[in-house]
Amino acid sequence: MTVAPITKEVLGRRLADARLGAGLTMREAGRRAGFDWTMIVRYEGGQSMPPPERLAALAAVYGTTPAALLAQYDGVMPVLAAIDRAGPYAAAILPIVEQLLASLPRQEDAP
């Protein structure tokens, strides 16, 4: 099975959802992340893909992880964030996560 990379549009929607979930304006998110807020407009609008260091900065500001934002499926974002934060204990829950992932519909099957 080939996994398609996440699109700029999907990542943009996730970034916007994460920012709003954190209760931040674009200006405040940009200030906290350390770059101009107009780049957030571009990222959320699907016009541009943030480089890894900016994605990491935004994830930290929003209380999530880059892996969660880049997940193949929307439903696994909280799970991936928890795994990233679990550190060395993540291996213990990996079989459960694999079962969960296998039970989720593929992104292209979602409405």
Side-chain angles (χ1 to χ4, degrees):
M1 173 168 97
T2 303
V3 177
I6 189 169
T7 65
K8 293 183 288 189
E9 294 78 15
V10 169
L11 180 59
R13 180 182 48 79
R14 289 181 181 171
L15 287 168
D17 290 347
R19 178 181 56 76
L20 293 171
L24 298 173
T25 65
M26 289 181 178
R27 288 180 190 268
E28 181 62 17
R31 187 188 66 73
R32 290 186 186 186
F35 53 87
D36 193 82
W37 69 275
T38 58
M39 291 309 299
I40 294 176
V41 173
R42 293 181 54 79
Y43 301 149
E44 289 185 10
Q47 299 166 334
S48 181
M49 186 74 83
E53 64 276 2
R54 287 195 175 172
L55 183 62
L58 288 171
V61 167
Y62 299 158
T64 189
T65 65
L69 291 169
L70 294 171
Q72 187 67 23
Y73 307 103
D74 288 343
V76 300
M77 290 175 59
V79 176
L80 285 176
I83 291 170
D84 284 348
R85 291 187 186 112
Y89 304 105
I93 63 170
L94 195 53
I96 298 167
V97 173
E98 289 174 344
Q99 288 178 345
L100 174 66
L101 292 175
S103 70
L104 292 172
R106 295 178 305 188
Q107 189 170 0
E108 59 269 15
D109 293 340

